[in-house]
Amino acid sequence: MDLQRRNLYWWNFDRYNIPYIMKVVKVRSPFLIEVNQSGQVGSKIELSIYNKGNSIPTILSGVTVSTAGQFSCTAATFAVGNTVTISGTLGGTGTITGYTSPKTYYVIATNGTTSFTLSATLGGAAITTTAGTPTGLTYITQISGFYSLSKSVPSTTQTNTIYNVSNYVKEFIENVQPLTNDEPDIVDDFEWVNFRIKRYWYNGTTYTLLDTNDYVGVNGFTNYSDGKQNAVTTLLTPLLNTSIINYYKNATFDSSTQEWLGSSSIENFNFIADKLSNSVLSVRFENLTNTSSITYNLQNGVAGIFNYSIPISIVVNLGSPYATGCKITVSLTPVAGTPIVSFITFAYPIEECKYTPVLCSFVNRYGGYKTITFFKQQTNTIAVKGTDYKLTQQATNYNTLIGQSKTFNINGKQTIKLNTGFIDENYSELITDLLLSETVLLNSKPVTVKTQGSDLKTSLKDRLINYELEFEYAFNLINDVV
């Protein structure tokens, strides 16, 4: 079987005169922000982190208070349910009944930009206030995602100050379960995150804003040989490598029950796109040997940054015209210019009649979910442990059926050893990503990878390539969650 590899093609976006292009950061590796302004004695950055659907955390300015818990400020972004945390010593005019520093309130009404009404509880009654202009207070929206970091320069000759923001951003990404569907769909908003960085330099008296930059964070990593990480500037970025994947031919989707049939669920991959309302984002599935195709247009008329999950095995559901495999083309056509295209070619489907295939999903180096199907032999093992105690009999005329020792707190874990079957040489990168992944699931169950290393095999040396890996389910067999 001749498997053809395809590269990802990137274009020069600047020539399209597009006003905003997302900057993607892999937050498992350091992302360093530098401030080195002539004459500075210190610096500061403000880091605002927010998941899609939430408002951006920010420090409010020009705040005044009216009656019945109503506030006004210089233009910001608000939504009902957002939090506003107030801290500092209340001075000036106006009052806030029950205020202590710091205290978090909830927005119960707003015009979305310059006015908002606060409550002490989510959806509760407005707090009691009187009109005026308070002083000495700091107002921050969505406090859980806002950090203000500052440093002094090391010396008068070494003025560069450096901040690593990756660890802060990573806390807001939660990779739990890959989205599997029979059509392209949007993944959970917590699988990635938006963040904004404002850089300030300090002359000893005043902090001066240098610039403001917006980024997208994914739970991926860069290699040591790549050097310092720079944000990838793009409109369309697949969160995967160009490796060829074999997928299980018999995985089918029942649209009436919205469930996958067969022993293995569908394989998907992720990509992030930044689109304007009048740009066209499409996914085209094409047969490798004829002209059969189907195209999905995504988020028509909607602007924003979206993380999509695209099924690979949609070719199974489209029937015999796709029996030999499928090429998937993801393209984004801007308002002006040539479409931005990424070509991804997958291997032929495999029909496994003897063994029960197991789908392994994991977060790869690009911060997206990747799937490997283990087609061949599997070995299941259970390991049990407990604590042994010697018993004291209740009487000298004891019951001989009780015994002198007993094991308490018995529990166990299950391990499974899996084989890929014969695969292409390019799987070495996938195996590397799997061993380095922090999130791994087998048939939607969380596991840890017990295999701590593997030879990266080549067809020249190993001829037929098979990988055997051992996993341990990340939970006890007896439910002891308290």
Side-chain angles (χ1 to χ4, degrees):
M1 180 171 58
D2 182 23
L3 302 181
Q4 181 184 6
R5 296 191 68 181
R6 301 270 182 166
N7 294 321
L8 301 180
Y9 294 92
W10 301 109
W11 297 76
N12 182 357
F13 305 126
D14 292 336
R15 66 182 179 180
Y16 300 140
N17 193 28
I18 299 172
Y20 176 73
I21 303 174
M22 65 178 174
K23 301 173 182 178
V24 180
V25 176
K26 300 170 184 175
V27 298
R28 285 186 64 188
S29 293
F31 183 58
L32 304 179
I33 304 299
E34 300 184 49
V35 183
N36 189 15
Q37 191 74 2
S38 176
Q40 74 178 28
V41 298
S43 67
K44 177 179 73 170
I45 66 168
E46 291 177 352
L47 173 61
S48 301
I49 311 169
Y50 61 106
N51 296 100
K52 189 174 179 64
N54 291 335
S55 301
I56 183 170
T58 186
I59 295 179
L60 303 179
S61 60
V63 178
T64 60
V65 60
S66 183
T67 58
Q70 300 177 49
F71 293 77
S72 61
C73 66
T74 304
T77 302
F78 296 98
V80 172
N82 286 173
T83 60
V84 175
T85 297
I86 306 177
S87 60
T89 302
L90 177 61
T93 59
T95 62
I96 305 173
T97 301
Y99 166 73
T100 56
S101 179
K103 190 163 185 177
T104 298
Y105 298 94
Y106 298 88
V107 177
I108 57 173
T110 178
N111 67 354
T113 55
T114 59
S115 68
F116 55 96
T117 302
L118 297 181
S119 171
T121 59
L122 181 62
I127 60 177
T128 302
T129 56
T130 60
T133 304
T135 60
L137 299 180
T138 299
Y139 306 78
I140 305 177
T141 65
Q142 301 288 91
I143 183 64
S144 60
F146 182 86
Y147 302 91
S148 181
L149 312 174
S150 61
K151 290 183 178 181
S152 298
V153 299
S155 70
T156 55
T157 58
Q158 296 177 315
T159 59
N160 193 20
T161 51
I162 301 174
Y163 304 83
N164 178 19
V165 301
S166 286
N167 290 337
Y168 297 95
V169 178
K170 191 175 186 296
E171 291 297 318
F172 289 79
I173 300 176
E174 186 177 355
N175 300 120
V176 177
Q177 168 115 15
L179 175 65
T180 57
N181 207 343
D182 64 330
E183 294 183 358
D185 205 350
I186 300 174
V187 306
D188 187 87
D189 293 334
F190 288 89
E191 297 283 349
W192 59 288
V193 70
N194 295 295
F195 64 102
R196 173 175 293 175
I197 295 177
K198 291 185 175 182
R199 298 191 311 144
Y200 298 82
W201 72 282
Y202 183 58
N203 63 3
T205 304
T206 305
Y207 283 100
T208 302
L209 178 64
L210 288 173
D211 53 36
T212 301
N213 286 288
D214 291 310
Y215 301 91
V216 170
V218 294
N219 198 23
F221 62 88
T222 60
N223 293 323
Y224 172 80
S225 57
D226 296 331
K228 176 187 174 183
Q229 179 179 190
N230 295 308
V232 178
T233 303
T234 177
L235 282 171
L236 176 64
T237 178
L239 301 182
L240 79 169
N241 52 31
T242 57
S243 299
I244 294 172
I245 289 293
N246 300 324
Y247 57 86
Y248 182 41
K249 180 178 179 180
N250 296 333
T252 57
F253 188 79
D254 187 338
S255 58
S256 62
T257 62
Q258 295 295 301
E259 294 179 349
W260 290 101
L261 306 177
S263 57
S264 179
S265 60
I266 202 69
E267 299 183 20
N268 283 239
F269 69 91
N270 300 139
F271 73 86
I272 292 180
D274 180 14
K275 66 182 297 291
L276 301 176
S277 59
N278 52 353
S279 60
V280 178
L281 177 63
S282 64
V283 180
R284 181 178 177 85
F285 298 85
E286 298 176 82
N287 184 273
L288 291 177
T289 57
N290 60 41
T291 58
S292 299
S293 66
I294 184 171
T295 299
Y296 293 87
N297 289 330
L298 309 179
Q299 299 301 105
N300 282 335
V302 180
I305 298 174
F306 300 93
N307 189 344
Y308 293 93
S309 179
I310 307 300
I312 297 170
S313 297
I314 191 172
V315 298
V316 174
N317 299 317
L318 294 179
S320 57
Y322 289 82
T324 57
C326 182
K327 181 180 78 173
I328 301 177
T329 304
V330 180
S331 62
L332 177 65
T333 305
V335 180
T338 307
I340 303 158
V341 180
S342 172
F343 294 102
I344 306 140
T345 302
F346 296 93
Y348 295 97
I350 291 180
E351 184 172 8
E352 176 54 53
C353 301
K354 184 176 182 181
Y355 297 98
T356 301
V358 175
L359 187 73
C360 176
S361 303
F362 59 95
V363 179
N364 63 14
R365 71 182 65 193
Y366 303 96
Y369 273 102
K370 188 71 172 175
T371 49
I372 293 178
T373 301
F374 289 87
F375 289 97
K376 295 300 179 179
Q377 182 180 1
Q378 59 177 274
T379 303
N380 289 278
T381 306
I382 294 177
V384 177
K385 63 180 180 179
T387 305
D388 294 332
Y389 292 91
K390 185 176 181 180
L391 301 179
T392 300
Q393 300 297 337
Q394 296 179 351
T396 56
N397 187 20
Y398 53 83
N399 186 344
T400 59
L401 297 178
I402 295 177
Q404 281 189 283
S405 62
K406 189 175 182 65
T407 303
F408 292 90
N409 302 321
I410 297 176
N411 216 323
K413 284 195 172 183
Q414 182 178 352
T415 61
I416 182 171
K417 190 177 292 183
L418 299 172
N419 288 267
T420 60
F422 296 135
I423 53 177
D424 192 76
E425 184 175 323
N426 62 64
Y427 264 67
S428 62
E429 185 174 336
L430 298 180
I431 297 299
T432 300
D433 284 7
L434 173 56
L435 294 176
L436 292 173
S437 180
E438 296 179 327
T439 302
V440 184
L441 299 100
L442 295 180
N443 287 349
S444 300
K445 295 180 180 179
V447 296
T448 58
V449 184
K450 290 196 69 176
T451 302
Q452 296 298 299
S454 175
D455 293 335
L456 300 179
K457 301 179 181 182
T458 63
S459 56
L460 178 63
K461 177 182 176 182
D462 302 284
R463 297 184 181 275
L464 297 176
I465 297 173
N466 171 73
Y467 286 98
E468 182 179 76
L469 298 179
E470 187 175 11
F471 304 86
E472 182 177 78
Y473 287 96
F475 49 85
N476 292 330
L477 292 175
I478 297 177
N479 185 357
D480 56 0
V481 176
V482 293

